[in-house]
Amino acid sequence: MVSRVIPVDPFDLVLFGATGDLARRKILPSLFHRFQIAQFCPKSRIIGSSRSKLDRAGFQDLVAQAIRDYGQDGETGEDDIKAFVELLDYVPVDARGDMGWQELKSHLRPDVVRAFYLSVGPSLFPDIASRLSSCGVATPDSRIVLEKPFGHDLASAQALNAALRDHFAESQIYRIDHYLGKETVQNLMALRFANSLFEPLWNSTHIDHVQITVAESIGVAGRGEYYDRSGAMRDMVQNHLMQLLCLTAMEPPSRFTPNAVRDEKVKVIEALEPVTQDNIARGQYRGKTGNSYLDHAGNPGSATESFIAMKVEVANWRWAGTPFYLRTGKCLRARESEIAVYFRDPPHNIFEGAAGVHGNILVIRLQPDEGITLRTTIKDPGPGGMRLTGANLDMTFADSLPESGRAQDAYERLIMDVIRGNQTLFMRGDEVEAAWAWADPIIAGWTQIGAPAPQPYDQGSSGPDDSLLLMHRDNRRWRGIGT
């Protein structure tokens, strides 16, 4: 099976914050690879923009070096880089002033898809959106792309949405969550809704519980000041883990269209029960002098969590009685993201005296090795009676589908979806607000008098002891991280 490349229409993509870290590490190398495989033609153009006083040649040199530094090994040939940078232009613009906007407008063509990617701090979103509209740079069918965070709480998210909608229709706004661009996340929908094997079992009658883990092995050094204002709850749970929860728990949409899919995701968020503090475990990684979370955050009195685990209930007919356990943290044993669906044990064991009859486990691995594993119980080979053991039915994309080529970066898929005008994998405004409405009371509970502080945990561990107790009291255990 060979991966099929579907070309997109010619476009003008304006990249605000084009000299920043995200643009150089992710966005520009992703565009370069899509150009290499001919998904868009040389008639398309990418216009960088920031306050930096670069000219076109200087920007081309910056992008060429970014591709050499961050592009995929074996895919950074100089001839391809030379051809790609010919598509580039650059216009210095002041996001909060008048400089550069009319020049930027003059660079855009009227007969191609027009998209604006805001790879900038969220405080600049309203200003750029306003000037795109007031200066006539944006057209009624232009697209605007935003990176998280989409607000700091419900009030700020509502204010941001209102500011955006003053100038753009909801159908023009693309809120990126790069987790939704991962191949395995999209395969979760295919696994559920394209296979009659799983959907009849995808409910509380057959599923005991679900574990969603996003573990990171690195700390917050270098971005501690920002992280200390957000913490794991705002930085990961309210968006990334919430999206994984929604895709796992959602009802089948009536059709595979952007609004039908997103309608079902919103229903999941609105069905979430409030989470009490006794169903939450928070932690901060500790270390030698100068290497702890408090050191990296530059705040010795910080009560911000670098780890959080929680038990979440979805109050609807499909999931009543089946908890979802969410877990994410910094400086853990390994970098690993997965969704583990634990099916219930067989109702009756016909193999008397044979240990090892347990429910199946379906594991959807998001990183580092994307794939799907189904844990089954089989007979242990050999004579001497009926002995049971576990065995995995494993599908790793790199091994099972080698003809499809290397897995594309999430940004590659998402940027091309912007050009196509497909919003399925992007968050809608009411979805963002519903997530904040659920998260705000949880965060507010940590500021109350007597609220427990985050528990310290060792770097390279699985988190604080309280997270283990969260599972043990329900007679369950977390899956090992990095095992």
Side-chain angles (χ1 to χ4, degrees), residues 290-317:
N291 197 38
S292 69
Y293 174 82
L294 298 178
D295 296 316
H296 292 164
N299 182 3
S302 174
T304 300
E305 73 286 350
S306 64
F307 174 97
I308 187 168
M310 60 173 60
K311 177 182 178 180
V312 177
E313 304 274 358
V314 182
N316 60 23
W317 278 37

Short mmCIF file of all heavy atoms in Angstrom, two decimals, residues 290-317:
data_model
loop_
_atom_site.label_atom_id
_atom_site.label_comp_id
_atom_site.label_asym_id
_atom_site.label_seq_id
_atom_site.Cartn_x
_atom_site.Cartn_y
_atom_site.Cartn_z
N GLY A 290 19.37 23.13 42.03
CA GLY A 290 19.39 23.77 40.71
C GLY A 290 18.70 22.98 39.63
O GLY A 290 18.63 23.42 38.49
N ASN A 291 18.13 21.82 39.96
CA ASN A 291 17.56 20.95 38.93
C ASN A 291 16.14 20.51 39.25
O ASN A 291 15.63 19.60 38.62
CB ASN A 291 18.45 19.72 38.73
CG ASN A 291 18.16 18.99 37.43
OD1 ASN A 291 17.89 19.62 36.41
ND2 ASN A 291 18.22 17.68 37.46
N SER A 292 15.50 21.12 40.22
CA SER A 292 14.14 20.76 40.57
C SER A 292 13.16 21.64 39.80
O SER A 292 13.54 22.61 39.13
CB SER A 292 13.90 20.95 42.06
OG SER A 292 13.92 22.34 42.39
N TYR A 293 11.87 21.32 39.91
CA TYR A 293 10.86 22.16 39.27
C TYR A 293 10.92 23.58 39.82
O TYR A 293 10.84 24.55 39.05
CB TYR A 293 9.45 21.60 39.49
CG TYR A 293 8.40 22.54 38.97
CD1 TYR A 293 8.07 22.56 37.62
CD2 TYR A 293 7.77 23.47 39.81
CE1 TYR A 293 7.15 23.47 37.12
CE2 TYR A 293 6.84 24.38 39.32
CZ TYR A 293 6.54 24.37 37.98
OH TYR A 293 5.63 25.27 37.48
N LEU A 294 11.08 23.72 41.13
CA LEU A 294 11.11 25.04 41.74
C LEU A 294 12.28 25.87 41.19
O LEU A 294 12.15 27.07 40.97
CB LEU A 294 11.22 24.92 43.26
CG LEU A 294 10.04 24.21 43.94
CD1 LEU A 294 10.28 24.11 45.44
CD2 LEU A 294 8.72 24.94 43.67
N ASP A 295 13.42 25.20 40.93
CA ASP A 295 14.56 25.90 40.34
C ASP A 295 14.26 26.30 38.90
O ASP A 295 14.54 27.43 38.48
CB ASP A 295 15.81 25.01 40.39
CG ASP A 295 16.24 24.70 41.81
OD1 ASP A 295 16.26 25.62 42.64
OD2 ASP A 295 16.55 23.53 42.10
N HIS A 296 13.72 25.37 38.12
CA HIS A 296 13.45 25.65 36.71
C HIS A 296 12.37 26.73 36.56
O HIS A 296 12.41 27.52 35.61
CB HIS A 296 13.01 24.38 36.01
CG HIS A 296 14.11 23.37 35.87
ND1 HIS A 296 13.88 22.05 35.57
CD2 HIS A 296 15.46 23.49 36.02
CE1 HIS A 296 15.04 21.40 35.52
NE2 HIS A 296 16.00 22.26 35.79
N ALA A 297 11.41 26.75 37.49
CA ALA A 297 10.35 27.75 37.42
C ALA A 297 10.83 29.10 37.94
O ALA A 297 10.18 30.13 37.68
CB ALA A 297 9.14 27.29 38.22
N GLY A 298 11.93 29.12 38.67
CA GLY A 298 12.42 30.37 39.25
C GLY A 298 11.49 30.91 40.31
O GLY A 298 11.42 32.13 40.52
N ASN A 299 10.79 30.01 41.00
CA ASN A 299 9.78 30.43 41.99
C ASN A 299 9.81 29.45 43.16
O ASN A 299 9.13 28.42 43.12
CB ASN A 299 8.39 30.46 41.35
CG ASN A 299 7.31 30.92 42.31
OD1 ASN A 299 7.58 31.28 43.46
ND2 ASN A 299 6.07 30.92 41.85
N PRO A 300 10.59 29.73 44.20
CA PRO A 300 10.74 28.79 45.32
C PRO A 300 9.44 28.46 46.04
O PRO A 300 9.33 27.40 46.67
CB PRO A 300 11.71 29.51 46.27
CG PRO A 300 12.41 30.52 45.41
CD PRO A 300 11.43 30.93 44.37
N GLY A 301 8.45 29.33 45.94
CA GLY A 301 7.19 29.08 46.62
C GLY A 301 6.09 28.58 45.71
O GLY A 301 4.91 28.59 46.08
N SER A 302 6.44 28.12 44.52
CA SER A 302 5.43 27.73 43.54
C SER A 302 4.58 26.56 44.02
O SER A 302 5.08 25.58 44.57
CB SER A 302 6.10 27.34 42.21
OG SER A 302 5.14 26.84 41.30
N ALA A 303 3.26 26.68 43.78
CA ALA A 303 2.33 25.58 44.03
C ALA A 303 1.74 25.08 42.72
O ALA A 303 0.66 24.48 42.69
CB ALA A 303 1.22 26.04 44.97
N THR A 304 2.46 25.28 41.61
CA THR A 304 2.02 24.83 40.29
C THR A 304 2.46 23.40 40.06
O THR A 304 3.59 23.02 40.39
CB THR A 304 2.61 25.73 39.19
OG1 THR A 304 2.16 27.08 39.42
CG2 THR A 304 2.17 25.28 37.81
N GLU A 305 1.59 22.60 39.50
CA GLU A 305 1.87 21.18 39.30
C GLU A 305 2.62 20.94 37.99
O GLU A 305 2.30 21.54 36.97
CB GLU A 305 0.57 20.37 39.30
CG GLU A 305 -0.32 20.50 38.07
CD GLU A 305 -1.07 21.82 37.97
OE1 GLU A 305 -1.05 22.58 38.96
OE2 GLU A 305 -1.67 22.08 36.91
N SER A 306 3.63 20.06 38.05
CA SER A 306 4.27 19.56 36.84
C SER A 306 3.74 18.17 36.48
O SER A 306 4.12 17.60 35.46
CB SER A 306 5.79 19.51 37.01
OG SER A 306 6.15 18.59 38.03
N PHE A 307 2.89 17.63 37.35
CA PHE A 307 2.27 16.31 37.15
C PHE A 307 0.84 16.39 37.65
O PHE A 307 0.55 17.03 38.66
CB PHE A 307 3.02 15.23 37.93
CG PHE A 307 2.36 13.87 37.90
CD1 PHE A 307 2.79 12.90 36.99
CD2 PHE A 307 1.32 13.55 38.75
CE1 PHE A 307 2.19 11.65 36.95
CE2 PHE A 307 0.71 12.30 38.72
CZ PHE A 307 1.14 11.35 37.82
N ILE A 308 -0.06 15.74 36.92
CA ILE A 308 -1.43 15.61 37.41
C ILE A 308 -2.02 14.30 36.94
O ILE A 308 -1.76 13.85 35.81
CB ILE A 308 -2.31 16.80 36.95
CG1 ILE A 308 -3.68 16.73 37.62
CG2 ILE A 308 -2.42 16.87 35.44
CD1 ILE A 308 -4.51 18.00 37.44
N ALA A 309 -2.75 13.65 37.83
CA ALA A 309 -3.53 12.46 37.48
C ALA A 309 -4.92 12.66 38.05
O ALA A 309 -5.08 13.25 39.12
CB ALA A 309 -2.89 11.20 38.06
N MET A 310 -5.92 12.20 37.33
CA MET A 310 -7.29 12.38 37.82
C MET A 310 -8.21 11.28 37.30
O MET A 310 -7.95 10.67 36.26
CB MET A 310 -7.84 13.75 37.43
CG MET A 310 -7.89 14.02 35.95
SD MET A 310 -8.74 15.60 35.57
CE MET A 310 -7.72 16.75 36.44
N LYS A 311 -9.25 11.07 38.06
CA LYS A 311 -10.30 10.12 37.68
C LYS A 311 -11.49 10.93 37.18
O LYS A 311 -12.02 11.79 37.88
CB LYS A 311 -10.71 9.28 38.88
CG LYS A 311 -11.84 8.31 38.63
CD LYS A 311 -12.19 7.56 39.92
CE LYS A 311 -13.36 6.61 39.73
NZ LYS A 311 -13.68 5.89 41.00
N VAL A 312 -11.90 10.65 35.95
CA VAL A 312 -12.95 11.43 35.29
C VAL A 312 -14.11 10.52 34.94
O VAL A 312 -13.91 9.40 34.45
CB VAL A 312 -12.40 12.11 34.02
CG1 VAL A 312 -13.48 12.86 33.28
CG2 VAL A 312 -11.25 13.06 34.38
N GLU A 313 -15.32 10.99 35.17
CA GLU A 313 -16.54 10.23 34.86
C GLU A 313 -17.32 10.94 33.76
O GLU A 313 -17.49 12.17 33.78
CB GLU A 313 -17.42 10.11 36.10
CG GLU A 313 -16.73 9.49 37.31
CD GLU A 313 -16.79 7.98 37.31
OE1 GLU A 313 -17.41 7.41 36.37
OE2 GLU A 313 -16.25 7.36 38.24
N VAL A 314 -17.79 10.16 32.78
CA VAL A 314 -18.64 10.68 31.71
C VAL A 314 -20.07 10.24 32.01
O VAL A 314 -20.39 9.04 31.98
CB VAL A 314 -18.19 10.16 30.33
CG1 VAL A 314 -19.06 10.76 29.23
CG2 VAL A 314 -16.72 10.49 30.09
N ALA A 315 -20.93 11.21 32.29
CA ALA A 315 -22.29 10.91 32.74
C ALA A 315 -23.23 10.78 31.55
O ALA A 315 -24.00 11.68 31.23
CB ALA A 315 -22.76 12.00 33.70
N ASN A 316 -23.15 9.64 30.87
CA ASN A 316 -24.13 9.34 29.83
C ASN A 316 -24.36 7.83 29.79
O ASN A 316 -23.72 7.07 30.51
CB ASN A 316 -23.70 9.89 28.46
CG ASN A 316 -22.38 9.31 27.97
OD1 ASN A 316 -21.96 8.22 28.37
ND2 ASN A 316 -21.72 10.05 27.09
N TRP A 317 -25.27 7.38 28.96
CA TRP A 317 -25.64 5.96 28.96
C TRP A 317 -24.49 5.07 28.53
O TRP A 317 -24.35 3.95 29.01
CB TRP A 317 -26.85 5.74 28.03
CG TRP A 317 -28.15 6.06 28.68
CD1 TRP A 317 -28.40 7.08 29.55
CD2 TRP A 317 -29.39 5.37 28.52
NE1 TRP A 317 -29.70 7.08 29.94
CE2 TRP A 317 -30.35 6.04 29.31
CE3 TRP A 317 -29.79 4.27 27.76
CZ2 TRP A 317 -31.68 5.63 29.39
CZ3 TRP A 317 -31.11 3.86 27.82
CH2 TRP A 317 -32.04 4.52 28.64
#
